[in-house]
Amino acid sequence: MKFTMDTLIYNNGLRHISPLWRSGFAAVLLLLSILSHPIVQVAIFTWMMIWTLWYARIPWKPYFLLLGTSLLFFIMSLPALLFEVEHTLQPGRDSLFSFHLFQWTFYVTQTGLTLAYSLFFRSLSSLSCLFFILFTIPFLEVLQVMKKLRLPQIMIELSLVMYRFIFLLIDTAFGMLVAQQARGGHGSFSQKMRDSALLLGHLFAHTMQRYKGLTHGLISRGLSEEILLPPMENKGISLRFQIESVVGCCLLLLFEGWVRVG
Amino acid sequence: MIMEAVNVTYGYPGTTSPALYELSLSIPEGKKIALLGHNGCGKSTFFLQSIGIIQPEQGKIKWKGNPLSYKTKELKVLRQNVGLVFQDPEQQLILGTPMDDISYGLRNARVPEDEIKKRTEKILCQLGLMDLANIPLHQLSLGQKKRVSLAGVMVLEPKLLLLDEPTAYLDRMSEKQLLEELDRINHLGTTVLMATHDMNVAYEWSDWVIVMDQGKCIMEGTPVDVFSRGKEIEEIGLETPYLYQIWQALPATLKKGEVPPRTVSAFKEWVGDMQIV
């Protein structure tokens, strides 16, 4: 998944546009989607989807797969949002629907339903803004934006090293898993647990070794105090995208104002 | 001599036997050198010593006749002069794409940005990596990664290039390309030292051979000189090159005291000449 995603990101249709502008654009819309009403949030979601799927030419399959996976977290929190539990249902509760289980009464309130409903649209529109960044800005450019925003160097370096290691880790873990399976491991459940524990232990030792190697490698290449990133390339923004973004944001603001007044 | 080790002893913390034990060797300037030895004979430790990442417990490492001082400033200059290519390319690749990664060392050396761009593109062209310039590193094959890590070191134009098992796990085609590239760098004046346990590659490619065993240097000389001491080579568990073994098996009347051929093509030529006679 991660591997194919990286290929998509490096070949997306918006790469020629300044990453700083794209991050700013997504940030503005994210702010708007947090503060606005559900109907405006739907508009933001649709608009961001057009940018990501159409302008950036990201295939819909990985996009919706990721969206679905992220919404799973929302679904997991649904029972807690919707249901309230009481020993005996007090009269005067705004229960829409209730049922008994043992001596407990479970019921759904209007407030809970409204909360779940507004949270759903808020997460949907916020996710679409996040995905716009995720799918159109390669990681190194994200780091360059972080640097431009004067985030602490340690944060940038940690992200860089984590990004570099995640693939090595997946690679190593997968290699070890296959090796264990090839030698008859992961048979029964208890064996699976034992082999997984073994794998994790080795993985840790292996990672420490790799970490040491990378440190030597970087020192030999002249690392002094900080990891220097290539400077951000000067990329423009086409007039067409500038107009669309400004007009679109204004329309969304007007729409939100109209919803609030009306 | 561009670099020397004088009686260097070093042991890793927590180990009982030293990785290097009174190691003395010298690297002649301008040559193509093969450093031979088993896994664990101290080759990689010597490499880390040579760029000052670890310091000897006893003895000295000398660069152009002067012992290393291990001061930050001087180490920085040393590391610009001595390039080290690790066996595992993952150890030294850090930024997202070959283009960005190759420029990393130049940026550390505070080279101006426009020159960085020029030099990076030049080296990408030279190593035939232009098509891969903007592909994420983790999508490259091992051979490609090895070439990128070599490019990242070569772009700094070091005086001495150290390579740790550069041909390990490479297919014949990639190996050939790599050796040709090393020849080219050597022609431009860089001393190239390659650690390997492929005797055939060492015999064919190098013009100076150093043999290490158990943290010591036990032989130094031209390939023919070193491999003529076949018995000692076999005693430490290494093999003499196939071509040299074949040459040895030929009757002395045929060889007439000639210098043994070092490449298959040279051998074929010699055989061809024989038939005419």
Side-chain angles (χ1 to χ4, degrees):
Chain A
M1 178 69 194
K2 188 79 181 94
F3 290 82
T4 45
M5 244 181 84
D6 234 52
T7 318
L8 291 177
I9 297 167
Y10 272 95
N11 298 317
N12 86 77
L14 293 176
R15 267 209 76 181
H16 58 279
I17 294 184
S18 152
L20 198 63
W21 184 87
R22 270 176 289 166
S23 315
F25 178 53
V28 168
L29 283 175
L30 185 66
L31 196 71
L32 199 63
S33 63
I34 288 170
L35 299 174
S36 60
H37 284 79
I39 183 83
V40 183
Q41 285 165 348
V42 171
I44 293 175
F45 172 70
T46 321
W47 195 33
M48 280 277 88
M49 214 162 63
I50 293 174
W51 277 84
T52 319
L53 297 185
W54 195 351
Y55 301 157
R57 293 193 301 273
I58 299 295
W60 60 271
K61 218 168 162 180
Y63 186 86
F64 283 103
L65 194 69
L66 201 63
L67 188 68
T69 321
S70 314
L71 283 178
L72 266 185
F73 289 95
F74 172 75
I75 292 168
M76 263 154 58
S77 63
L78 261 187
L81 285 172
L82 285 178
F83 290 104
E84 308 234 353
V85 187
E86 253 177 81
H87 205 273
T88 40
L89 188 57
Q90 302 290 318
R93 292 272 190 233
D94 62 339
S95 138
L96 293 171
F97 158 83
S98 67
F99 63 92
H100 298 277
L101 201 70
F102 305 111
Q103 65 268 57
W104 300 97
T105 309
F106 290 79
Y107 63 98
V108 178
T109 62
Q110 181 63 47
T111 354
L113 204 63
T114 322
L115 188 65
Y117 163 83
S118 66
L119 261 180
F120 174 74
F121 287 106
R122 186 167 298 162
S123 9
L124 205 62
S125 62
S126 309
L127 278 174
S128 70
C129 297
L130 192 68
F131 286 179
F132 176 70
I133 294 185
L134 203 66
F135 276 107
T136 69
I137 311 182
F139 192 74
L140 200 73
E141 286 181 11
V142 174
L143 293 181
Q144 287 169 337
V145 171
M146 282 163 79
K147 199 172 170 82
K148 198 100 190 169
L149 296 176
R150 310 247 167 122
L151 286 169
Q153 179 69 20
I154 183 80
M155 211 169 131
I156 299 171
E157 277 177 26
L158 276 178
S159 321
L160 176 66
V161 174
M162 264 159 59
Y163 177 73
R164 187 75 193 87
F165 262 83
I166 195 121
F167 297 105
L168 291 185
L169 202 70
I170 294 171
D171 237 25
T172 318
F174 186 71
M176 281 182 183
L177 182 69
V178 171
Q180 281 184 335
Q181 282 170 339
R183 293 169 66 190
H186 294 269
S188 63
F189 179 76
S190 64
Q191 205 186 355
K192 204 170 226 142
M193 290 321 251
R194 215 175 34 242
D195 284 341
S196 302
L198 213 62
L199 193 146
L200 281 177
H202 279 304
L203 204 57
F204 179 72
H206 206 95
T207 312
M208 285 314 282
Q209 217 180 344
R210 282 242 157 125
Y211 151 76
K212 217 172 179 176
L214 187 69
T215 315
H216 285 161
L218 291 187
I219 292 175
S220 78
R221 293 183 70 189
L223 171 78
S224 37
E225 293 103 35
E226 53 178 319
I227 299 178
L228 300 170
L229 295 176
M232 213 187 294
E233 273 176 66
N234 273 330
K235 293 176 180 172
I237 315 131
S238 67
L239 194 65
R240 186 213 158 297
F241 282 138
Q242 269 185 39
I243 293 172
E244 173 167 344
S245 60
V246 172
V247 171
C249 284
C250 291
L251 281 179
L252 281 173
L253 274 175
L254 281 176
F255 190 23
E256 171 65 19
W258 181 70
V259 172
R260 284 192 184 213
V261 173
Chain B
M1 294 299 150
I2 193 162
M3 184 169 267
E4 286 163 276
V6 188
N7 287 322
V8 172
T9 299
Y10 178 82
Y12 287 101
T15 52
T16 44
S17 56
L20 299 178
Y21 184 69
E22 295 187 349
L23 171 74
S24 291
L25 58 79
S26 20
I27 301 173
E29 192 161 1
K31 285 201 156 58
K32 295 189 286 184
I33 307 138
L35 177 61
L36 302 177
H38 284 294
N39 294 328
C41 73
K43 287 176 293 187
S44 304
T45 312
F46 168 66
F47 281 168
L48 292 182
Q49 289 278 0
S50 65
I51 54 167
I53 285 184
I54 47 179
Q55 286 189 35
E57 285 159 11
Q58 282 164 36
K60 279 189 193 96
I61 301 280
K62 288 182 180 172
W63 168 252
K64 293 195 168 172
N66 305 314
L68 300 191
S69 71
Y70 300 97
K71 284 180 191 141
T72 319
K73 228 178 193 167
E74 281 175 39
L75 280 181
K76 199 172 170 182
V77 177
L78 176 77
R79 285 167 193 162
Q80 279 166 21
N81 282 319
V82 184
L84 172 55
V85 182
F86 289 79
Q87 182 177 359
D88 180 5
E90 303 289 6
Q91 277 193 15
Q92 58 190 141
L93 301 178
I94 180 77
L95 298 179
T97 60
M99 179 73 117
D100 292 333
D101 188 79
I102 290 168
S103 66
Y104 172 78
L106 290 171
R107 207 161 278 121
N108 280 333
R110 312 281 160 177
V111 174
E113 277 304 325
D114 47 336
E115 203 188 321
I116 288 182
K117 202 166 148 58
K118 239 186 278 166
R119 279 168 71 172
T120 309
E121 276 168 8
K122 195 173 142 206
I123 204 88
L124 280 168
C125 277
Q126 277 175 5
L127 289 185
L129 291 167
M130 216 50 197
D131 296 338
L132 307 174
N134 289 311
I135 293 180
L137 279 176
H138 48 261
Q139 289 180 9
L140 303 184
S141 71
L142 182 72
Q144 290 167 334
K145 281 183 190 167
K146 281 202 163 196
R147 267 155 67 207
V148 173
S149 65
L150 178 66
V153 173
M154 268 173 48
V155 77
L156 293 167
E157 293 165 5
K159 304 268 185 309
L160 171 64
L161 182 62
L162 305 171
L163 303 113
D164 199 352
E165 307 266 355
T167 57
Y169 310 117
L170 284 190
D171 54 60
R172 288 296 292 180
M173 185 69 194
S174 314
E175 182 185 298
K176 209 173 145 238
Q177 276 177 356
L178 184 82
L179 292 179
E180 277 167 10
E181 197 47 49
L182 294 181
D183 280 347
R184 214 185 49 75
I185 299 165
N186 181 249
H187 272 299
L188 295 174
T190 302
T191 310
V192 183
L193 184 143
M194 167 169 99
T196 181
H197 40 221
D198 188 332
M199 299 296 141
N200 298 312
V201 168
Y203 182 60
E204 186 178 327
W205 172 82
S206 63
D207 37 37
W208 192 257
V209 173
I210 299 172
V211 185
M212 272 178 79
D213 187 46
Q214 295 181 357
K216 270 185 166 174
C217 166
I218 55 167
M219 282 179 233
E220 282 177 280
T222 61
V224 174
D225 281 349
V226 167
F227 290 119
S228 67
R229 295 156 73 179
K231 210 156 179 205
E232 288 167 71
I233 298 267
E234 275 161 30
E235 265 168 19
I236 61 165
L238 297 173
E239 242 184 0
T240 43
Y242 293 141
L243 199 57
Y244 191 78
Q245 286 184 29
I246 293 171
W247 181 261
Q248 285 296 303
L250 293 175
T253 46
L254 272 181
K255 292 188 281 191
K256 292 179 201 137
E258 274 184 60
V259 183
R262 280 171 46 199
T263 60
V264 174
S265 53
F267 182 72
K268 278 184 187 160
E269 216 170 273
W270 177 81
V271 171
D273 290 346
M274 288 292 296
Q275 280 168 343
I276 295 163
V277 173

